[in-house]
Amino acid sequence: MPLTTSKEMLQAARAGRFAVGAFNANNMEQIQGIVDAAVEERAPVILQVSQGAIRYAGLDFAAAMVKTAAAMADVPVVLHLDHGTDFDQNVLCLRAGFTSLMFDGSKKPYEENIATTARIVEIAHICDIPVEAELGKVLQSTPDITPQDVLDAMTKPDQAADFVARTGCDSLAVAIGSVHAMSSKAASLDIDRLKSISEAVDIPLVLHGSSGVLEESEVEAIGYGIAKINVATLLNIGFMDALRAAVAADTKASDPRKFLTHSREAVKEIVRHKMRLFGASGTVTSSGFSSPKTQHRSADLGNIE
Ligand code: G3H
Ligand code: ZN
């Protein structure tokens, strides 16, 4: 089916207390593994492309691959910009046919984050495309990161209502204890903080940096408004582990397909596991999550100038 937007999908997830998996992809095998998993699990899925992926594959090429995978799938697929850190990147993705955007203003001062998010929301909404924003900062894993750093960067619940009202964003990425790109599962989320944010705003909340979060903590968070969970590092690890094992098992073969088929399968299995964990498996019904697009037509043409 054609790409769908994330708007109704995430609202349905928040209301139904499940989370849609948002999986990062950089190449054809990852995209196919992710979409194959969604089809087998009867789950909606968000395929997200980061700015790094755009630099690697090219914007139009990345968008075309996801659109092709979606067209061949019978479950709803969203093409989402992950961590778009500037205005121009968001506009370029809108033009390229992305059906969900993210402005990540987490490194900007509060007022600047609000101002740029609001500008992007205004433009994206003209095209019926929803926008994810970030309040607080989900940090990157580094050797010297401390628990205090993570705490200091967390979303302040008393800013959430003001931020959402003034930006008009459709979903909100929150910093509640996860850290990007952790290679082992060790982080517990600050559920009390999440509860306060969830009480303050009624839009779907987004968990970033899920690869380092304990699975029981992820599941608990879904009960308090987390409706989209981003997964990247875990997929990369699975992809590369499978590739290394396949090469080690046959050091002579030269056909890349012989090896990459194992990586694609590994990605699919990880995604299937996550979809079940998030409660998304089996949630695609015959009517799906997408509602018919509103066409802005009017019978009253008025003066044609
Ligand atoms: O935006 C992408 C994610 O937040 C992924 O985080 O690499 O820790 O899974 P992760
Ligand atoms: Zn992230």
Side-chain angles (χ1 to χ4, degrees), residues 124-280:
H125 282 186
I126 295 169
C127 306
D128 284 335
I129 298 300
V131 178
E132 175 183 333
E134 180 161 335
L135 179 62
K137 195 190 296 175
V138 180
L139 298 176
Q140 211 63 28
S141 176
T142 59
D144 52 354
I145 193 171
T146 67
Q148 190 61 44
D149 294 335
V150 178
L151 188 61
D152 291 344
M154 284 192 191
T155 306
K156 296 183 174 59
D158 57 1
Q159 288 184 329
D162 178 63
F163 184 87
V164 170
R166 290 172 62 199
T167 60
C169 65
D170 302 278
S171 59
L172 185 66
V174 290
I176 51 172
S178 59
V179 173
H180 281 117
M182 284 172 65
S183 55
S184 63
K185 298 198 157 295
S188 287
L189 300 172
D190 184 343
I191 298 293
D192 286 338
R193 184 179 300 265
L194 175 62
K195 279 184 199 166
S196 305
I197 299 166
S198 191
E199 280 161 18
V201 299
D202 61 359
I203 58 172
L205 303 177
V206 181
L207 176 66
H208 282 246
S210 79
S211 294
V213 178
L214 294 164
E215 290 197 334
E216 55 268 32
S217 200
E218 284 182 284
V219 171
E220 195 180 3
I222 294 169
Y224 297 103
I226 292 290
K228 171 176 179 273
I229 299 185
N230 290 8
V231 188
T233 302
L234 204 59
L235 295 187
N236 286 339
I237 291 171
F239 186 100
M240 287 308 299
D241 282 352
L243 187 57
R244 276 189 279 267
V247 172
D250 184 350
T251 53
K252 294 268 186 319
S254 58
D255 184 342
R257 293 172 298 182
K258 197 167 174 53
F259 305 118
L260 290 169
T261 191
H262 294 279
S263 294
R264 179 169 58 194
E265 197 57 27
V267 167
K268 186 177 90 174
E269 289 312 316
I270 295 167
V271 172
R272 289 190 68 176
H273 167 73
K274 285 294 177 183
M275 286 172 162
R276 289 187 210 130
L277 185 76
F278 300 162

Side-chain angles (χ1 to χ4, degrees), residues 27-155:
N27 62 34
M28 183 192 78
E29 286 79 8
Q30 290 173 318
I31 292 169
Q32 289 177 331
I34 293 163
V35 174
D36 287 353
V39 169
E40 287 181 27
E41 289 297 319
R42 311 308 305 155
V45 69
I46 297 175
L47 257 151
Q48 51 187 21
V49 179
S50 67
Q51 293 179 151
I54 290 170
R55 282 194 296 277
Y56 175 71
L59 176 59
D60 290 334
F61 210 97
M65 283 195 291
V66 177
K67 285 177 197 175
T68 300
M72 297 172 73
D74 60 353
V75 293
V77 178
V78 170
L79 170 56
H80 176 76
L81 167 64
D82 187 33
H83 292 289
T85 50
D86 64 30
F87 179 79
D88 294 8
Q89 183 70 74
N90 273 272
V91 172
L92 291 170
C93 287
L94 191 60
R95 186 178 68 173
F98 281 52
T99 53
S100 183
L101 298 175
M102 177 186 188
F103 174 63
D104 174 0
S106 62
K107 293 196 175 111
K108 315 262 189 225
Y110 183 67
E111 289 297 331
E112 194 182 332
N113 188 0
I114 288 182
T116 310
T117 303
R119 275 177 80 204
I120 292 167
V121 167
E122 187 180 0
I123 292 170
H125 282 186
I126 295 169
C127 306
D128 284 335
I129 298 300
V131 178
E132 175 183 333
E134 180 161 335
L135 179 62
K137 195 190 296 175
V138 180
L139 298 176
Q140 211 63 28
S141 176
T142 59
D144 52 354
I145 193 171
T146 67
Q148 190 61 44
D149 294 335
V150 178
L151 188 61
D152 291 344
M154 284 192 191
T155 306

